[in-house]
Amino acid sequence: MKLLKTIKKIFEKNDSNSIENIEEFMLENNFGVEFAENFIEKIREERVTDKNIEETLKESIKNILDNTDPKIHFANSIPAVFLFVGTNGTGKTTSIAKLAHLYKNQGKKVMLVAGDTFRAAASKQLEIWATKLNIPIVMQKEGSDPGAVVFDGLNSAVSKNIDILLIDSAGRVETKKNLLKELQKIERVIEKKIGRKPDETLLVLDAYTGQNGLAQIEIFSSMVNISGIILTKIDGSSSGGIIIPIVQKYGIPVKFICTGENIEDIEQFNTEAFIKMLSG
Ligand SMILES: Nc1nc2c(ncn2[C@@H]2O[C@H](COP(=O)(O)OP(=O)(O)OP(=O)(O)O)[C@@H](O)[C@H]2O)c(=O)[nH]1
Ligand SMILES: [Mg+2]
């Protein structure tokens, strides 16, 4: 991706449009207005040179990302309960499968809950993954109450000594009121059963959607307490630059990034690795 190197190149050109071009490039790559403006100010104050530009960029990004902790939260008692939320098509179900695979390989007992009962195809998709990965799944017929499916899932997880319960949910933001009710009910059911909120409520965002992802953070944050973000589809042309304004503006840690459609294409977020990726 070599984003930081490209910025360096534009800077080194040092023509009348350089500053404007840097700002434009940063915005195109979703670094966010605040970050871009701060950096331009540094250039104007002549704190940036050909020699230090890459280091300055890296340091500025690191300073922002260091404000959040990407650690995954596990309570002392099992099951750990992770709820996945997000708009349609961002990659919730795929990310659940990837994490199920990851944790299973670490020797953990994983179970899935098909909390997206709105479409039969949604439960089916999760069931296919469960079969492939040989992991138990709790599901009910289309149109069932998601709270009831989650209740079943929690009971089953407790009785089977499951370590990690991964709960899928519907992403119909167009019916915001229903979704709000649904997610809040799921949270209540979890809290009642295990005596605490989900250990992680992970908002799944698609890196391709750019600034729209920020609007999705606002929508979902108004419904549930987001503990972390899974940023998917950081492959192809999307750079992952959106991570900067996510953390800078909302203070929510990015906990996982997904870099493809394969089951292994998930990584726990790491600042150094991310900066390396931006450097190319
Ligand atoms: N390239 C790429 N594709 C991905 C990634 N994650 C998911 N996808 C694809 O994105 C599409 C949607 O993924 P799903 O997991 O079904 O998304 P969802 O959020 O569960 O969607 P709904 O259930 O409709 O709300 C699928 O075709 C996935 O294969 C990723 O990291 N990279
Ligand atoms: Mg899904």
Side-chain angles (χ1 to χ4, degrees):
M1 272 164 239
K2 303 189 175 145
L3 293 189
L4 305 190
K5 292 215 162 50
T6 307
I7 294 171
K8 184 173 192 252
K9 264 192 202 140
I10 305 173
F11 181 77
E12 282 169 347
K13 256 189 167 174
N14 198 20
D15 59 27
S16 56
N17 294 328
S18 277
I19 291 187
E20 222 168 75
N21 290 344
I22 287 177
E23 188 165 14
E24 203 177 299
F25 183 80
M26 282 183 167
L27 295 181
E28 264 168 23
N29 283 284
N30 295 311
F31 283 39
V33 177
E34 201 178 335
F35 184 87
E37 280 180 355
N38 282 339
F39 194 74
I40 297 306
E41 206 175 298
K42 277 187 189 154
I43 296 179
R44 291 224 161 93
E45 289 170 357
E46 296 178 3
R47 281 147 65 192
V48 181
T49 63
D50 286 0
K51 275 209 174 69
N52 75 10
I53 181 164
E54 227 177 319
E55 271 323 299
T56 310
L57 274 168
K58 286 181 187 172
E59 228 174 74
S60 310
I61 296 170
K62 188 172 166 0
N63 284 341
I64 292 165
L65 299 183
D66 279 351
N67 285 327
T68 56
D69 185 2
K71 197 170 85 252
I72 313 304
H73 186 251
F74 288 96
N76 290 327
S77 56
I78 57 164
V81 176
F82 295 179
L83 173 63
F84 294 73
V85 301
T87 306
N88 283 129
T90 53
K92 288 181 296 297
T93 306
T94 312
S95 298
I96 290 174
K98 288 171 177 174
L99 278 184
H101 174 75
L102 184 86
Y103 288 127
K104 191 186 173 191
N105 280 353
Q106 291 175 5
K108 301 235 165 73
K109 283 171 83 175
V110 184
M111 182 183 267
L112 310 182
V113 178
D116 181 356
T117 54
F118 187 66
R119 295 177 301 124
S123 297
K124 188 76 203 157
Q125 191 191 352
L126 198 66
E127 191 186 23
I128 292 170
W129 277 117
T131 309
K132 241 189 218 167
L133 298 169
N134 194 19
I135 284 173
I137 179 170
V138 171
M139 54 194 286
Q140 286 182 11
K141 64 175 193 304
E142 184 181 350
S144 313
D145 173 12
V149 187
V150 170
F151 184 78
D152 271 5
L154 288 162
N155 278 335
S156 180
V158 168
S159 74
K160 290 184 173 133
N161 288 316
I162 292 294
D163 295 305
I164 306 178
L165 191 67
L166 305 175
I167 304 173
D168 203 358
S169 71
R172 288 164 292 124
V173 277
E174 57 279 11
T175 53
K176 200 173 154 196
K177 236 164 105 188
N178 291 342
L179 186 61
L180 172 69
K181 262 203 226 145
E182 211 170 287
L183 292 178
Q184 289 182 337
K185 182 161 182 197
I186 290 176
E187 272 196 328
R188 269 203 313 279
V189 168
I190 293 170
E191 204 168 356
K192 212 164 166 193
K193 184 72 194 171
I194 63 171
R196 58 178 196 274
K197 287 247 162 75
D199 298 292
E200 291 284 355
T201 299
L202 298 164
L203 173 64
V204 182
L205 294 182
D206 174 341
Y208 278 113
T209 60
Q211 297 301 306
N212 188 253
L214 302 182
Q216 290 170 25
I217 294 180
E218 305 222 344
I219 294 175
F220 280 91
S221 290
S222 73
M223 300 193 214
V224 285
N225 199 358
I226 305 297
S227 62
I229 283 168
I230 299 184
L231 191 67
T232 65
K233 311 185 194 181
I234 310 193
D235 43 77
S237 62
S238 66
S239 69
I242 191 80
I243 290 176
I244 296 168
I246 288 176
V247 175
Q248 192 166 28
K249 194 158 177 213
Y250 300 97
I252 301 176
V254 174
K255 298 211 169 177
F256 293 97
I257 55 172
C258 298
T259 50
E261 286 184 278
N262 293 325
I263 194 86
E264 297 91 9
D265 295 334
I266 192 162
E267 288 163 37
Q268 210 165 315
F269 182 77
N270 171 289
T271 300
E272 272 70 43
F274 174 64
I275 291 175
K276 224 172 169 176
M277 190 177 91
L278 290 181
S279 308

